Amino acid sequence: MGKDELLEKLFPSGRALFIPIDHAATSFPEKGLEDLSKLIPKLSSANAIIAHKGVVSHYNSKHHFIMHLSASTIHGGSNSDNKVLTGSVIEAKKRGAIGVSAQINLGSEAESEMIERMGEISKQAFEQNMPLLGMVYPRGPNLKIDENDSTKGVSHAVRLAFELGCDMVKVPWTGDKDSFSLVCNSAPIPVLIAGGEHKGSFDDLLKLIRDAIESGAKGVCMGRQIFAAENVHERCEKISQLIHEK
């Protein structure tokens, strides 16, 4: 299957709901990820689940998976934000994934190494016709934000992902529609908003998603907002309906 066909599977309406469940590699126990056999069937409304290789191999028979190819743990000290490679695109294909993802932390002491790793994954993805999702977060200690940049580095994150060959990118919400419109116009690839820690109500989250889509986002890539909820299946369904305008 060619990359365009795989992207159509990931974005069936031109938009997508991706649910990352790779968090347990970084830190565990993680609320909601204790029993994947019970969790994953509740995520049936997702267009793809993002997970590390062991999870992909174990559960790929009934779900679309994007295999995450970079990792670190909370025990890494000064290297905790240094995402190292843990697999390859060919391996992801063999394990049943229909896409791959990797992470860059802009401003990290290890930023250059993560950029180099993304470049390698991008090369492999190009050669294998595999969609690549870049997770790019402007949050390291060396981050330099232009005083006129209302996106606080998020536009740069999107542009970097595009320049490195990513087919889609996950970035944080900037807080308002005007600044996020600038983010979405930074490159001609789909922009997905991250979830992160959200302390408001579910209605607040739906409004945030609606605002992001109206700003030009092509969907969301949210983990804890969904898998850590008490009503996972219902929340997943409602977010999917909003994204795909069902």
Side-chain angles (χ1 to χ4, degrees), residues 36 40 51-60 65 67-68 86 91 95:
L36 295 183
I40 289 176
H52 286 289
K53 59 175 72 179
V55 177
V56 174
S57 288
H58 201 79
Y59 295 103
N60 71 43
F65 274 91
M67 190 168 119
H68 198 44
T86 57
E91 179 187 7
R95 289 181 181 271

Side-chain angles (χ1 to χ4, degrees), residues 3-4 7 11 14 132 154-170 180-192 216-218:
K3 184 165 74 171
D4 288 344
L7 285 169
F11 292 84
L132 170 59
V154 180
S155 281
H156 188 191
V158 168
R159 189 53 180 251
L160 177 63
F162 169 64
E163 298 278 352
L164 293 179
C166 295
D167 301 291
M168 44 201 164
V169 58
K170 169 189 178 182
F180 207 73
S181 292
L182 297 174
V183 169
C184 294
N185 288 326
S186 299
I189 58 174
V191 175
L192 305 171
K218 297 303 182 182

Side-chain angles (χ1 to χ4, degrees), residues 68-71 81-85 101-108 110-122 132-140 143 153 156-166 169-172:
H68 198 44
L69 299 181
S70 57
D81 68 346
N82 183 9
K83 301 296 180 178
V84 301
L85 290 185
S101 63
Q103 181 172 331
I104 296 173
N105 292 320
L106 282 183
S108 164
E111 179 194 280
S112 59
E113 290 96 326
M114 284 181 274
I115 289 174
E116 184 175 35
R117 292 164 197 149
M118 184 70 83
E120 172 59 27
I121 292 301
S122 175
L132 170 59
L133 169 68
M135 299 185 183
V136 188
Y137 304 106
R139 61 188 184 192
L143 198 64
H156 188 191
V158 168
R159 189 53 180 251
L160 177 63
F162 169 64
E163 298 278 352
L164 293 179
C166 295
V169 58
K170 169 189 178 182
V171 290

